[in-house]
């Protein structure tokens, strides 16, 4: 009840299938410009990326544990991006959601938006019988065995981009190349 940060009204949901990170980022940027101009309604993009490591605005280079050469040999792209947060991995078996939402139509509160995304993920996981929760002082969603979803957002003139990454059937071995979200 009110947790989902989409205002009542239309929202276009798109399944992009598997798409390179750079292409999904370019699409997000285009949709954000159009949403700011009120040319389109809110959008929710679902995508699965080929192996990629992204560095958010707060990224610490030492949290990428492999050289560019090693990453290339492993088939992993590396991209700097404008989302919040540190370093994360995206890859096959992970559901990535990118809400392009005008928060002026909901509430102008970044923390409430992030907590809303966490709650949506917690509620969705519960539908599959998976108990999860927030952890004090750490953004994302956790199960007793560890972090299951990461969140990193960007907000410009109250329009959101980036979003969440939910590990469903992700090969967790790829996380060995990074210190995810700066958490050892």
């Amino acid at each position: 009840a009110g947790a989902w940060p989409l205002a009542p009204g239309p929202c276009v949901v798109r399944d992009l299938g598997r798409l390179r990170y750079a292409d999904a980022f370019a699409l997000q940027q285009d949709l954000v410009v159009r949403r700011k101009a009120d040319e389109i309604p809110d959008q929710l993009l679902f995508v699965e990326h080929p192996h990629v490591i992204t560095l958010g605005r707060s990224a610490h280079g030492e949290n990428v544990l492999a050289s560019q050469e090693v990453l290339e040999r492993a088939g992993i792209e590396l991209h700097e991006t404008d989302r919040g947060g540190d370093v994360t991995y995206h890859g096959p078996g992970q559901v990535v959601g990118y809400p392009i939402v005008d928060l002026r139509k909901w509430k102008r509160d970044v923390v409430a938006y992030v907590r809303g995304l966490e709650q949506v993920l917690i509620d969705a996981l519960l539908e599959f019988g998976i108990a999860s929760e927030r952890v004090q002082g750490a953004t994302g969603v956790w199960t007793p065995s560890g972090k299951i979803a990461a969140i990193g957002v960007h907000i410009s003139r109250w329009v959101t981009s980036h979003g969440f990454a939910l590990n469903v059937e992700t090969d967790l071995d790829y996380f060995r190349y990074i210190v995810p979200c700066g958490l050892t």
Side-chain angles (χ1 to χ4, degrees):
W4 178 236
L6 293 177
C11 178
V12 176
V13 178
R14 300 187 203 185
D15 181 350
L16 304 177
R18 188 172 291 180
L19 186 64
R20 286 183 60 242
Y21 181 81
D23 297 331
F25 183 54
L27 176 59
Q28 284 185 79
Q29 290 178 310
D30 176 61
L31 293 173
V32 165
V33 168
R34 294 173 61 202
R35 185 66 189 109
K36 285 179 185 177
D38 213 20
E39 295 172 1
I40 59 172
D42 289 341
Q43 309 280 308
L44 177 56
L45 310 177
F46 286 106
V47 65
E48 179 183 60
H49 292 302
H51 304 291
V52 62
I53 291 171
T54 63
L55 293 86
R57 290 187 316 267
S58 303
H60 299 282
E62 64 271 15
N63 287 335
V64 178
L65 303 176
S67 68
Q68 180 72 35
E69 181 183 342
V70 168
L71 294 175
E72 286 174 8
R73 278 200 317 259
I76 303 170
E77 292 186 355
L78 185 67
H79 288 277
E80 291 183 17
T81 189
D82 64 351
R83 67 161 168 74
D86 201 334
V87 176
T88 196
Y89 162 80
H90 299 300
Q94 191 180 67
V95 175
V96 179
Y98 295 132
I100 313 296
V101 176
D102 186 346
L103 292 181
R104 292 172 299 183
K105 310 224 185 232
W106 183 62
K107 45 170 99 163
R108 296 175 190 217
D109 186 330
V110 176
V111 173
Y113 173 68
V114 171
R115 297 300 163 256
L117 288 176
E118 288 171 337
Q119 192 60 52
V120 166
L121 291 163
I122 290 166
D123 293 347
L125 287 165
L126 194 55
E127 290 289 320
F128 292 94
I130 300 169
S132 60
E133 63 185 358
R134 292 178 185 90
V135 170
Q136 184 70 31
T139 300
V141 177
W142 305 76
T143 66
S145 47
K147 191 169 188 178
I148 192 168
I151 294 174
V153 300
H154 179 75
I155 299 174
S156 172
R157 292 189 4 229
W158 296 109
V159 174
T160 67
S161 58
H162 301 284
F164 63 86
L166 175 64
N167 293 319
V168 177
E169 292 182 341
T170 313
D171 182 350
L172 301 179
D173 192 46
Y174 281 89
F175 283 94
R176 76 177 186 263
Y177 295 106
I178 65 171
V179 177
C181 305
L183 303 171
T184 54

